[in-house]
Amino acid sequence: MKKLIFSIVFLTVGWATSQAQTFNLGIKAGVNLAKINADFASEENRLGYQIGAWARIGGASFYVQPEAYIGSKGNKFISFTNNSNTEIAAEGKVKFTTLDVPVLLGTKFGSKNLNVRVMAGPVLSLILDDSSTFSSAYQQATDFDNYKNQAFGIQAGAGVDVGAISVDLRYEAGLTNISKSEKYKQTPNLFQLSLGFKIL
């Protein structure tokens, strides 16, 4: 499924590049509110950041926007359901530093200097570093705090361009289990708000 999605996206990028009337390059920074969904634990959102660059290739309305940015995201677990199916209060904290590479397909409405955009597409997250602290209650969960080095998801959202300034609001849904445990599935999800500046 992942290979099919990326194949379609890269074919679309190739087509858009060959048909491109405009090419823009910019930088971006922002914040995210992330959470790891797990059916055996209760969790809370954690605030993170992102900083990186984007390119936009396309015509008057349709465009492709690949990006690359360093981000911080994580989660706070507040309770855990043990092997006796009893929920107990137990804290656990996880923090990731990631290199995120989304490839978004979008359309825009309005003029060159003032327009509204909608976009969606896949995102690959490479985990550069992770740190975690868990109470002893989580020790019975094999590989619970042992994480994979990459995750795959999909982003969707909207944005506004005012001159060289852009503002984007997106939701990212995780499509893969980032835990190495097959029993205790963990899927990251987040909202992100970013401010961008077009330099080309």
Side-chain angles (χ1 to χ4, degrees):
M1 183 64 177
K2 290 186 289 184
K3 291 182 179 179
L4 176 61
I5 292 175
F6 273 112
S7 296
I8 293 172
V9 168
F10 286 125
L11 286 173
T12 305
V13 170
W15 175 84
T17 302
S18 66
Q19 302 294 318
Q21 300 173 21
T22 61
F23 174 80
N24 299 121
L25 187 66
I27 55 176
K28 61 177 290 185
V31 295
N32 64 64
L33 196 60
K35 183 171 70 171
I36 297 176
N37 289 341
D39 54 8
F40 55 86
S42 297
E43 61 280 318
E44 291 181 349
N45 294 311
R46 294 197 71 179
L47 192 65
Y49 70 87
Q50 59 173 267
I51 183 168
W54 55 268
R56 193 176 298 160
I57 309 158
S61 58
F62 175 79
Y63 67 89
V64 178
Q65 183 165 313
E67 299 180 350
Y69 52 85
I70 298 294
S72 170
K73 61 190 76 169
N75 186 75
K76 179 181 179 181
F77 295 102
I78 57 176
S79 68
F80 176 74
T81 302
N82 61 22
N83 291 336
S84 301
N85 204 31
T86 301
E87 185 175 3
I88 57 176
E91 186 173 287
K93 294 181 180 179
V94 183
K95 182 180 179 181
F96 301 104
T97 300
T98 61
L99 172 62
D100 297 307
V101 185
V103 180
L104 306 171
L105 310 179
T107 187
K108 55 186 177 181
F109 312 91
S111 64
K112 179 180 179 181
N113 293 319
L114 178 60
N115 61 72
V116 176
R117 295 173 287 105
V118 292
M119 77 291 286
V123 54
L124 175 66
S125 296
L126 303 176
I127 298 177
L128 306 178
D129 183 56
D130 70 84
S131 60
S132 60
T133 56
F134 287 94
S135 72
S136 58
Y138 292 89
Q139 291 179 357
Q140 62 182 283
T142 305
D143 281 336
F144 177 84
D145 58 348
N146 193 5
Y147 292 99
K148 299 175 182 177
N149 58 10
Q150 67 180 38
F152 181 73
I154 190 164
Q155 291 186 357
V160 177
D161 294 332
V162 181
I165 304 297
S166 62
V167 179
D168 282 18
L169 177 63
R170 300 178 198 163
Y171 177 71
E172 180 180 318
L175 300 179
T176 55
N177 180 15
I178 61 170
S179 172
K180 290 185 177 180
S181 171
E182 294 300 323
K183 180 179 180 181
Y184 300 100
K185 185 178 180 180
Q186 301 181 55
T187 306
N189 300 280
L190 60 86
F191 287 95
Q192 61 175 235
L193 177 66
S194 65
L195 179 67
F197 182 75
K198 182 171 64 176
I199 57 178
L200 180 64

